[in-house]
Structures are given as C-alpha cells and as structure tokens.
Amino acid sequence: MPAASPPTAPARESSAKQPPAAERVYTHIKDAVLDRRYEGGMLLTEGELADAVGVSRTPVREALLRLEVEGLIKLYPKKGALVLPVSAQEIADVVETRLLVEKHAAAKAAPANEALIGELTELLETMRAQAESGDLAAVSVADRAFHAAIVRSAGNQILDRLYEQLRDRQLRMGVAVMHAHPDRIAKNITEHAEILEALRAGDADAATDAVHRHVSWVRNLAQGEVR
C-alpha cells in the first residue's frame, strides 16, 4: 500500500499564516464592540466567545485581559466580561482632545499640498459611497481616516501617536452616533467637504473653524444620548 502523500506546500503556508488563537479572539471581540454587534451593557461569557471563534477558553481569557486594559470591557470573575458603554465623560474627553490636535493640524495643513488634497478627496468619495450602501461601520472608518490624514500632514509624530490612541474610541462613538442619528450622515459628509475646500483654498482660519464646528457637534449631540 503506498505511503500517504505529505501535505502540499500551499496547505502548510495557509496554516502558518493563521493568527494565534488569542489574537483571533481579540480581533473578533474588538471588531464586534466597535461596530456595535456587542453593544454597551452586554455580558459576554468565555464559553460563548470560545464557541464563536472555535477555540478553547484559555486564549479567550488572554484576549479579554488585553481588551480590559484598553478600556473596552470590564471583567467580572465567574460571570464574564461586560462591554463598557460609551459615557458622556468619555465623549467630552475625546472631543476636547480631538479639538486640540485637529485644529492645530488643520492650521498647519493650509494650504494643503496636492497629495493631501488627493487623499482627502478620495476618502470623501468613499464615505459617500458607503453612506449610500448603508455601511455605517465603514463610514466611521473612512471618517476617522479623513481626520487622521490631516493630523498626519502636520508632521508632528508625537501628536500623531497621541491621535492614534483615540482611534478605537472615535470609531465606536462614530458608529453609535450614526445609528442613533442616521439623518446626520449627509451633513457630516458636507462638513468634511467644507474642511477640504478650506484646506484647498489655503484659508487656515476657515479650516480651523470648520473643524471646530464639525467635531464639537459630536459632543453637543451625543452627551446624554449615547450611553
């Protein structure tokens, strides 16, 4: 009887590329929290998460500890992990930090160079297409990328890293607000266009004013409404 054939190279490569179990659990939970499939106030159990990802409970515990450090969940021994709601204080803190960083970056970016104008224009068109298809999570990602591109253009790596630390909170708040106020999405896109035009015109004052109005709206609308 002939010997069994060894695994093919593609199969070995596919296995090698499989992320570690704890990383798969971490990504699964984080994505679900950010796009609100796991909403604030929901209690997640290790067994349910292990079944959902197809792993044992040990990597689930590792992933949950990591997510607790990031402030997305709160662990309760023998009960599970509570998805932390977005609080009014968190919204206020994020908006305050965003205004400090983004207004400074917008002032430095004006007049924007061709590379930045091209990147922002493409992101704006992407947001329009995603809004038309109703993909709110994708709109939130593109929205955040639009602002991050302006911050990055300022050339301050310390501010860029600080802004990057807000990423998860921005995405989660963005999806929550858009779900609560879907009629606001078109207005958000219009405000992005106003920021883009001010940067294109080289009007630093108009750019910072547009950023202030746009970012402050999140706090004014969401405080007390997103919990």
Side-chain angles (χ1 to χ4, degrees):
M1 181 176 180
S5 300
T8 62
R12 287 196 299 268
E13 289 175 3
S14 176
S15 176
K17 292 178 182 178
Q18 180 82 337
E23 187 67 28
R24 298 203 308 274
V25 178
Y26 169 83
T27 300
H28 168 80
I29 300 172
K30 187 168 187 175
D31 287 349
V33 170
L34 294 183
D35 65 21
R36 297 180 78 248
R37 284 180 286 121
Y38 292 160
E39 295 193 47
M42 184 179 291
L43 187 67
L44 310 175
T45 68
E46 290 183 0
E48 291 170 341
L49 294 171
D51 290 343
V53 185
V55 298
S56 68
R57 295 195 179 194
T58 299
V60 172
R61 295 189 191 102
E62 293 178 31
L64 290 175
L65 287 169
R66 184 175 168 189
L67 289 161
E68 184 175 44
V69 171
E70 294 181 7
L72 292 178
I73 65 166
K74 173 67 176 176
L75 290 176
Y76 290 93
K78 300 182 180 179
K79 292 185 179 180
L82 181 71
V83 179
L84 293 176
V86 178
S87 69
Q89 185 60 54
E90 182 179 4
I91 292 169
D93 291 347
V94 169
V95 170
E96 182 178 17
T97 306
R98 285 188 62 187
L99 286 172
L100 289 170
V101 175
E102 291 188 39
K103 289 174 69 176
H104 170 78
K108 286 193 70 176
N113 58 40
E114 291 184 8
L116 179 59
I117 292 298
E119 183 177 4
L120 297 181
T121 300
E122 183 176 348
L123 285 167
L124 189 58
E125 291 306 313
T126 298
M127 276 185 274
R128 289 192 176 110
Q130 292 164 339
E132 288 178 4
S133 69
D135 192 342
L136 302 187
V139 173
S140 185
V141 171
D143 183 318
R144 200 270 171 186
F146 183 96
H147 293 277
I150 297 173
V151 172
R152 191 168 56 250
S153 74
N156 186 320
Q157 294 184 5
I158 295 175
L159 283 181
D160 196 22
R161 285 194 293 270
L162 171 63
Y163 192 76
E164 187 60 29
Q165 292 173 13
L166 300 177
R167 177 184 181 275
D168 293 342
R169 289 181 170 86
Q170 284 179 257
L171 293 178
R172 191 179 181 202
M173 290 177 190
V175 174
V177 170
M178 283 188 284
H179 271 280
H181 303 274
D183 56 324
R184 175 67 198 192
I185 298 173
K187 180 63 175 173
N188 279 356
I189 292 174
T190 297
E191 291 174 356
H192 282 93
E194 291 170 356
I195 295 169
L196 172 56
E197 289 310 309
L199 291 175
R200 193 197 307 271
D203 190 334
D205 290 338
T208 55
D209 287 346
V211 167
H212 184 86
R213 288 193 306 273
H214 176 66
V215 176
S216 295
W217 172 85
V218 178
R219 174 180 55 201
N220 297 338
L221 179 68
Q223 277 187 317
E225 296 183 26
V226 178
R227 296 180 172 85

